[in-house]
Amino acid sequence: MAGHFEATPDGGAAVALDEVEIAILRSLAVQLLELIGPGDESAESEDPLAALFAEGPSERPADPALARLFPDAYGDEDSELRAASAEFRRFTENDLRARKRDDALAVVRSLDALTIAGDGGAVLRIPGDECRKWLGALNDLRLTIGTRLDVSDEDDGGADTLYRLPDTDPRKPMVMAYLWLGALQETLVETMMP
């Protein structure tokens, strides 16, 4: 189980983590929460129907990582598509932000609930209903780190370049986190397959 998720009999997943891995995952999830931003606490006390029709931002985020987490729905090739994307964003981004925030909070809460054993590690057990939240948070973390590292879908040799970075490169720790999160994400997906 070390280093990868395995399915549990109750439909969940489990992974053995050491103290450093727990600290890294928690730190990254907290940083993701900070990037996404706080929720709208006033919406919780308002009329639920009014909250359904609350309008969000219509402009694409300026931060490239946020733009990757909250992409344009229709691209930006022409003004009609930009207008349609702005309209779509206005009515969907608040909910998407709330879901991403909930996913990252699920990661933090799961990690905070762990009891570290004498050997400095713990087995994280995620119930089946929490696996999708973990999967969403791992994906968002990888998208964010990948954006910061300038990894793109069109970049054929980019991943190979990242693998060969010298240890003295300041990006190396983030590359290692990016690759590790990818392995966690892949094995979590495998545990969720029927």
Side-chain angles (χ1 to χ4, degrees):
M1 182 184 326
H4 63 275
F5 280 100
E6 291 182 5
T8 58
D10 62 355
V15 63
L17 299 169
D18 65 31
E19 271 186 285
V20 172
E21 292 168 329
I22 293 166
I24 291 170
L25 270 174
R26 189 181 189 291
S27 175
L28 290 172
V30 168
Q31 289 177 56
L32 180 62
L33 285 166
E34 291 170 356
L35 179 66
I36 293 169
D40 184 8
E41 284 78 26
S42 65
E44 294 174 11
S45 62
E46 292 179 14
D47 174 16
L49 288 176
L52 282 175
F53 297 103
E55 294 183 12
S58 59
E59 295 295 318
R60 181 183 183 147
D63 183 320
L66 282 174
R68 184 71 175 105
L69 292 175
F70 306 105
D72 287 331
Y74 306 107
D76 61 358
E77 290 80 34
D78 63 38
S79 61
E80 275 186 43
L81 290 177
R82 278 193 301 275
S85 285
E87 190 73 4
F88 185 81
R89 178 181 303 283
R90 205 173 95 209
F91 292 108
T92 61
E93 188 170 314
N94 285 345
D95 287 339
L96 186 57
R97 277 183 186 267
R99 195 202 76 215
K100 289 180 180 299
R101 200 171 9 269
D102 287 345
D103 292 350
L105 276 171
V107 169
V108 171
R109 288 179 181 136
S110 298
L111 295 171
D112 285 350
L114 288 175
T115 302
I116 305 297
D119 65 355
V123 175
L124 171 68
R125 297 185 194 289
I126 305 171
D129 59 341
E130 292 282 312
C131 286
R132 288 197 186 278
K133 290 183 179 195
W134 264 82
L135 190 58
L138 290 173
N139 186 60
D140 290 342
L141 288 169
R142 286 194 75 236
L143 287 173
T144 302
I145 293 170
T147 301
R148 298 288 191 236
L149 293 171
D150 290 325
V151 174
S152 70
D153 295 334
E154 297 83 31
D155 193 7
D156 292 337
D160 291 337
T161 304
L162 292 178
Y163 283 116
R164 290 191 297 265
L165 283 178
D167 290 343
T168 56
D169 191 303
R171 297 172 295 166
K172 186 74 171 201
M174 290 311 296
V175 169
M176 298 308 294
Y178 177 78
L179 297 172
W180 175 57
L181 291 169
L184 286 176
Q185 184 179 13
E186 182 179 348
T187 59
L188 183 55
V189 167
E190 289 170 1
T191 68
M192 297 170 65
M193 301 293 267

